[in-house]
């Protein structure tokens, strides 16, 4: 079932609150000052049953210029507006400002309600109606019905309810398959219950016992109970006015303008990218770095505007801009906003959020303007592709992409499947994704890294995995790193041998002189058995210099020499003889001392101790007190 939120708008004292009471029987003026002064200062809430049995929530918003920010808070989440104009006064200053605000907040449907018709004659009503039609041309109210009512004698109320019912049938279904989001417009405490927040649930579903976050603070709370239209429910759905009783958080921890949402579903930011539009009727231009008031959801925050493609924005114009905020907000791609001049307070425009968490941009960058242009066109496939490209170095998952884009996870999965099929995006484990351009660029860096290494170290098998990871993949875990290297291996770019990575076509090639050195080195190690010279002694003995010194490491990597310790290297045949001899002795005698092992190999403690420790290290033997046994 559709859930409908109806809002009122219009000039002060044009009868909005009285109209709601006539429709619902509920008095929305709840503050003493409101009742005393006869005006709505803060938001009021009510509900009523339509002729078809459906319930509609109503938000009564203030009309006085001083309380416009409360009007903006109430306008968040409205499906249908009752645009109230008193017949005895006609269009007034706040009438126009409310109309401008509603247009920027993307309210698509409205009914013009001509109130106080009992105070004027029919001829006057016709004149006012004609003036209204002229004023709303080019706005979402251009074709809206005009209903004449009197909240005092009941004239036109039944007709108004009938039209409301018809128009609510045309309201789009809300998104219930995305994480919940509720901009908070009131916070209070109830004895025995604790903290309660209210607002219009603009997305998702809230359930009892659900863990939620309060953004932008990132505070965690738990839903104790929920009310919709004054009745307790287990769940609340997008499009409903909701009161949520929270545990684990104090009233003082929450501010109006905060957002109650699912954990990890939003990200807070001090910067947003937007498409900014100025009213044609505004008397003010906006210059780069002007201070403005931003209204988003139920939040008001001061900001500086950075015009990305010009120095000045004139009435009726639009441009891409970056808003540098003085407080954090939590928003999503596609959210609407309104801006007012800092001083004097005056609504000058609004627009749509294109990136809720961008880096700082330099002005007049064509690539930035192009990216924002693409986002403003609303092509979700293009948006998701650009997000993956932008954040490929973070290896984003579905949750991250959803937060950045404001698009539901189900939609993202379907779009990414297509992008993967089209080979624009590459999928790795745990639903992480990178853009093809990023992986290609990374491949070029990997090729250059290995080429440089091979040219400087022609006798080494390649860079170690850890070295490659630290240089190019330091921000990812080992499993994902292995997947990416396997990806390049399958492409034929690299090969992995043991713990080394090299270019696929790379092979170690020895010159004739190096081959001769190799044979001499092996012969020395073979003949000296368990009394081998040190590496430095080998270099001196054979006058080995420069890159030729890498031959010993090559022989170790080839398995022809076995490095027992920093100073002791054995020929593989001698090593195998020592291992076999030790095993044969232990099979017969169960244990062996250091002295016995030394005599067995006809060597000294200098070689026997490191060799026994090496056998312990590879878990061939184990030490028990001062003896060794087979592992």
């Amino acid at each position: 079932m559709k859930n409908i939120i109806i809002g009122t708008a219009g000039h002060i004292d044009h009868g909005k609150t009285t109209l709601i009471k006539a429709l619902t029987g509920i008095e929305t003026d709840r503050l003493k000052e409101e009742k005393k002064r006869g005006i709505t200062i803060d938001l009021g809430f009510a509900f009523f049953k339509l002729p078809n049995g459906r319930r509609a929530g109503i938000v009564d918003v203030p009309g006085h210029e001083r309380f416009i920010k409360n009007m903006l808070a109430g306008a968040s989440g409205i499906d249908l507006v009752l645009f109230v104009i008193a017949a005895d006064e006609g269009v007034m200053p706040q009438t126009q400002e409310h109309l401008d605000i509603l247009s920027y907040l993307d309210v698509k449907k409205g009914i013009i309600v001509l109130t106080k018709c009992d105070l004027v004659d029919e001829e006057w009503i016709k004149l006012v109606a004609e003036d209204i039609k002229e004023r709303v041309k080019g706005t979402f109210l251009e074709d809206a019905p005009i209903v004449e009512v009197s909240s005092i004698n009941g004239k036109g109320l039944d007709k108004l309810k009938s039209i409301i019912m018809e128009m609510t049938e045309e309201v789009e279904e809300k998104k219930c398959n995305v994480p919940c989001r509720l901009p908070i417009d009131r916070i209070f405490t109830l004895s025995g219950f604790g903290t309660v927040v209210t607002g219009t649930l603009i997305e998702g579903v809230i359930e009892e016992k659900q863990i939620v976050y309060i953004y932008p603070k990132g505070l965690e709370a738990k839903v104790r109970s929920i009310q919709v239209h004054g009745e307790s429910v287990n769940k609340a759905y997008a499009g409903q006015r909701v009161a949520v009783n929270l545990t684990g958080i104090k009233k003082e921890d929450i501010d109006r303008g905060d957002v109650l949402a699912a954990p990890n579903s939003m990200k807070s930011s001090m910067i947003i990218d937007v498409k900014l539009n100025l009213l044609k009727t505004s008397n003010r231009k906006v210059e780069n770095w002007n201070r403005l008031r931003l209204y988003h959801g139920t939040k008001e925050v001061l900001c500086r505007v950075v015009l990305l493609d010009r120095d000045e924005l004139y009435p009726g114009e639009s441009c891409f801009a970056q808003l540098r905020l003085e407080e954090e907000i939590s928003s999503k791609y596609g959210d609407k906003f309104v801006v007012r001049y800092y001083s004097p307070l005056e609504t000058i425009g609004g627009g749509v959020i294109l990136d809720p968490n961008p880096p700082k941009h330099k002005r007049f960058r064509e690539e930035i303007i192009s990216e924002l242009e693409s986002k403003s066109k609303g092509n979700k496939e293009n948006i998701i592709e650009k997000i993956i490209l932008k954040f490929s170095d973070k290896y984003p998952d579905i949750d991250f992409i959803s937060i950045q884009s404001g698009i539901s996870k189900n939609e993202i999965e379907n779009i990414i499947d297509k992008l993967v099929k089209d080979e624009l995006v590459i999928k790795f484990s745990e639903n992480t994704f990178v853009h093809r351009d990023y992986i290609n660029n990374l491949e070029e860096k990997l090729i250059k890294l290995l080429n440089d290494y091979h040219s400087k170290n022609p006798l080494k098998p390649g860079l170690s995995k850890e070295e490659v990871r630290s240089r190019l993949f330091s921000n990812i875990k080992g499993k994902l790193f292995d997947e990416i290297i396997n990806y390049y291996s399958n492409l034929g770019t690299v090969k992995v041998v043991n713990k080394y990575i090299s270019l696929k076509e790379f092979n170690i090639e020895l010159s004739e002189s190096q081959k001769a050195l190799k044979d001499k080195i092996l012969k020395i190690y073979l003949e000296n058995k368990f009394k081998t010279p040190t590496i430095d002694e080998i270099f001196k003995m054979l006058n080995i210099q420069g890159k030729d010194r890498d031959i010993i490491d090559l022989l170790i990597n080839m398995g022809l020499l076995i490095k027992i310790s920093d100073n002791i290297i054995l020929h593989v045949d001698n090593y195998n003889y020592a291992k076999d001899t030790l095993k044969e002795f232990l099979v017969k005698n169960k244990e062996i001392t250091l002295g016995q092992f030394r005599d067995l190999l006809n060597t000294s403690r200098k070689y026997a101790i490191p060799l026994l420790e090496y056998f312990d290290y590879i878990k061939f033997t184990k030490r028990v007190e001062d003896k060794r046994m087979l592992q």
Side-chain angles (χ1 to χ4, degrees):
M1 180 182 288
K2 290 179 183 176
N3 299 295
I4 306 299
I5 298 294
I6 298 171
T8 63
H11 192 73
I12 180 175
D13 203 29
H14 273 208
K16 296 186 295 297
T17 302
T18 307
L19 174 64
I20 290 176
K21 186 174 182 181
L23 287 171
T24 68
I26 297 173
E27 173 69 73
T28 58
D29 279 348
R30 58 186 175 82
L31 302 176
K32 289 181 181 179
E33 188 179 353
E34 290 177 337
K35 295 180 183 296
K36 179 180 176 182
R37 296 171 61 182
I39 63 171
T40 300
I41 296 172
D42 208 342
L43 303 172
F45 307 103
F47 65 91
F48 72 111
K49 281 190 177 180
L50 297 169
N52 60 3
R54 177 181 294 161
R55 276 187 171 183
I58 297 185
V59 183
D60 182 21
V61 300
H64 195 288
E65 193 280 333
R66 286 175 54 201
F67 310 116
I68 285 287
K69 70 176 183 179
N70 291 340
M71 181 269 167
L72 281 152
S76 174
I78 286 176
D79 300 300
L80 170 69
V81 65
L82 302 182
F83 200 71
V84 177
I85 302 173
D88 61 336
E89 289 191 332
V91 176
M92 298 291 283
Q94 267 63 64
T95 311
Q96 183 63 51
E97 186 164 21
H98 279 209
L99 179 59
D100 294 336
I101 288 169
L102 292 166
S103 297
Y104 279 123
L105 293 178
D106 204 30
V107 178
K108 292 184 171 64
K109 295 185 179 297
I111 301 169
I112 299 169
V113 183
L114 208 52
T115 57
K116 303 186 182 183
C117 287
D118 54 311
L119 301 181
V120 294
D121 57 32
E122 287 298 323
E123 191 63 32
W124 181 258
I125 290 174
K126 287 181 181 179
L127 288 172
V128 172
E130 287 301 316
D131 181 51
I132 292 170
K133 288 178 182 178
E134 190 63 31
R135 297 291 190 104
V136 299
K137 276 185 179 178
T139 75
F140 74 101
L141 291 176
E142 183 170 5
D143 298 317
I146 299 177
V147 184
E148 302 168 16
V149 304
S150 169
S151 301
I152 303 302
N153 61 31
K155 175 189 174 182
L157 292 180
D158 288 339
K159 180 181 178 181
L160 177 58
K161 288 181 181 179
S162 178
I163 293 175
I164 290 172
M165 183 183 72
E166 291 174 11
M167 294 190 74
T168 55
E169 292 291 344
E170 301 169 6
V171 171
E172 294 178 1
E173 292 278 4
K174 298 291 191 305
K175 296 179 182 178
C176 286
N177 62 339
V178 299
C180 64
R181 181 162 58 134
L182 182 145
I184 296 169
D185 51 40
R186 286 173 62 196
I187 313 109
F188 54 92
T189 57
L190 288 176
S191 179
F193 290 90
T195 305
V196 178
V197 299
T198 70
T200 299
L201 186 57
I202 59 176
E203 292 179 328
V205 178
I206 296 178
E207 302 183 51
E208 285 185 347
K209 299 182 180 178
Q210 179 181 347
I211 299 299
V212 294
Y213 279 11
I214 304 298
Y215 292 93
K217 300 177 177 73
L219 301 174
E220 183 178 298
K222 187 175 183 180
V223 177
R224 173 187 281 172
S225 60
I226 305 167
Q227 282 196 353
V228 175
H229 303 318
E231 295 181 359
S232 295
V233 295
N234 294 323
K235 290 183 180 181
Y237 298 88
Q240 292 181 325
R241 282 292 310 172
V242 183
V244 185
N245 180 204
L246 299 172
T247 61
I249 196 165
K250 298 177 182 177
K251 174 188 173 185
E252 295 75 25
D253 296 331
I254 308 173
D255 296 304
R256 182 181 188 157
D258 288 346
V259 180
L260 182 153
N264 303 314
S265 63
M266 302 189 76
K267 192 162 186 177
S268 303
S269 177
M270 297 280 286
I271 304 174
I272 55 175
D273 285 345
V274 303
K275 185 168 187 180
L276 178 63
N277 311 301
L278 287 197
L279 289 167
K280 292 180 182 178
T281 54
S282 175
N283 295 318
R284 299 185 180 279
K285 66 179 179 180
V286 170
E287 296 179 351
N288 186 62
W289 206 242
N290 271 165
R291 202 176 191 205
L292 303 176
R293 295 179 186 271
L294 169 74
Y295 297 86
H296 168 260
T298 55
K299 181 85 170 178
E300 176 192 10
V301 59
L302 294 171
C303 66
R304 295 282 184 178
V305 60
V306 178
L307 302 177
L308 295 175
D309 63 354
R310 65 194 69 198
D311 294 315
E312 297 176 325
L313 185 66
Y314 291 90
E317 293 183 342
S318 65
C319 76
F320 297 115
Q322 186 164 81
L323 302 184
R324 309 274 175 87
L325 313 176
E326 296 184 20
E327 297 175 48
E328 282 190 322
I329 68 167
S330 296
S331 61
K332 288 189 177 182
Y333 166 81
D335 285 356
K336 305 300 188 295
F337 66 89
V338 169
V339 287
R340 305 187 81 207
Y341 208 71
Y342 173 66
S343 181
L345 286 174
E346 177 186 326
T347 302
I348 59 172
V352 60
I353 294 175
L354 301 178
D355 192 334
N357 187 37
K360 284 185 178 180
H361 298 318
K362 291 184 178 179
R363 302 173 65 212
F364 304 105
R365 290 291 180 91
E366 288 185 14
E367 66 274 17
I368 300 297
I369 303 301
S370 175
E371 182 179 339
L372 294 176
E373 181 68 47
S374 176
K375 288 180 178 179
S376 71
K377 291 177 180 176
N379 184 318
K380 291 182 179 179
E381 182 178 322
N382 190 265
I383 290 166
I384 289 173
E385 184 195 346
K386 294 293 186 186
I387 288 173
I388 294 174
L389 177 60
K390 180 178 179 180
F391 294 103
S392 278
D393 62 335
K394 300 184 185 302
Y395 300 88
D397 58 14
I398 297 287
D399 289 339
F400 181 90
I401 296 167
S402 181
I403 291 172
Q404 291 296 324
S405 66
I407 300 171
S408 73
K409 294 179 186 178
N410 288 339
E411 283 186 278
I412 291 171
E413 287 173 356
N414 293 332
I415 291 170
I416 286 182
D417 284 344
K418 183 178 184 304
L419 292 173
V420 170
K421 187 177 179 181
D422 293 343
E423 298 183 350
L424 291 172
V425 166
I426 297 158
K427 179 180 179 180
F428 291 107
S429 65
E430 300 176 1
N431 279 331
T432 54
F433 304 92
V434 295
H435 196 278
R436 181 190 61 190
D437 291 352
Y438 173 79
I439 210 78
N440 289 347
N441 182 53
L442 201 56
E443 182 184 23
E444 291 177 8
K445 291 181 180 178
L446 179 59
I447 290 171
K448 183 179 186 306
L449 177 67
L450 292 175
N451 254 327
D452 291 345
Y453 185 81
H454 291 327
S455 64
K456 294 175 183 176
N457 304 278
L459 299 184
K460 292 190 176 181
L463 269 172
S464 70
K465 286 185 177 181
E466 280 306 307
E467 183 72 14
V468 172
R469 191 160 87 92
S470 68
R471 296 228 199 154
L472 296 180
F473 304 91
S474 59
N475 58 335
I476 63 172
K477 297 177 182 178
K479 183 179 178 182
L480 181 55
F481 168 71
D482 288 338
E483 278 192 71
I484 294 172
I485 294 301
N486 286 338
Y487 173 83
Y488 290 132
S489 177
N490 292 333
L491 282 180
T493 304
V494 301
K495 62 184 176 185
V496 181
V497 179
N498 298 323
K499 62 179 181 178
Y500 296 102
I501 300 173
S502 67
L503 291 174
K504 185 76 172 180
E505 68 276 8
F506 173 75
N507 289 299
I508 295 173
E509 296 182 2
L510 298 179
S511 65
E512 291 303 319
S513 62
Q514 288 172 334
K515 289 177 182 177
L517 274 178
K518 168 191 164 187
D519 292 339
K520 289 178 183 178
I521 292 169
L522 288 175
K523 183 179 180 182
I524 290 172
Y525 278 111
L526 182 62
E527 291 177 348
N528 283 275
K529 292 186 178 180
F530 304 108
K531 296 178 181 178
T532 56
T534 65
I535 293 176
D536 286 339
E537 288 171 341
I538 291 282
F539 289 158
K540 188 174 181 180
M541 192 184 308
L542 299 176
N543 192 27
I544 300 175
Q545 298 178 1
K547 292 180 180 179
D548 287 346
R549 294 190 171 202
D550 290 337
I551 292 177
I552 289 182
D553 285 337
L554 172 63
L555 294 175
I556 292 171
N557 290 328
M558 293 173 67
L560 298 176
L561 296 179
I562 308 298
K563 189 173 184 178
I564 304 302
S565 67
D566 288 341
N567 295 316
I568 297 176
I569 295 173
L570 299 179
H571 192 285
V572 65
D573 291 349
N574 295 333
Y575 169 81
N576 287 333
Y577 171 80
K579 190 175 181 182
D580 293 342
T581 302
L582 177 59
K583 182 178 181 180
E584 183 180 343
F585 184 92
L586 289 174
V587 168
K588 290 180 181 179
N589 302 286
K590 306 298 181 187
E591 58 187 28
I592 192 171
T593 64
L594 170 61
Q596 289 173 319
F597 182 63
R598 177 198 62 203
D599 295 341
L600 201 62
L601 297 184
N602 188 27
T603 186
S604 65
R605 289 168 58 90
K606 175 183 175 183
Y607 294 91
I609 291 174
L611 194 49
L612 282 176
E613 289 177 347
Y614 184 81
F615 287 141
D616 292 342
Y617 172 73
I618 66 171
K619 300 191 183 302
F620 177 65
T621 58
K622 62 181 177 180
R623 181 173 179 171
V624 179
E625 295 179 350
D626 61 347
K627 297 177 182 178
R628 256 68 176 195
M629 300 178 182
L630 286 175
Q631 188 71 286

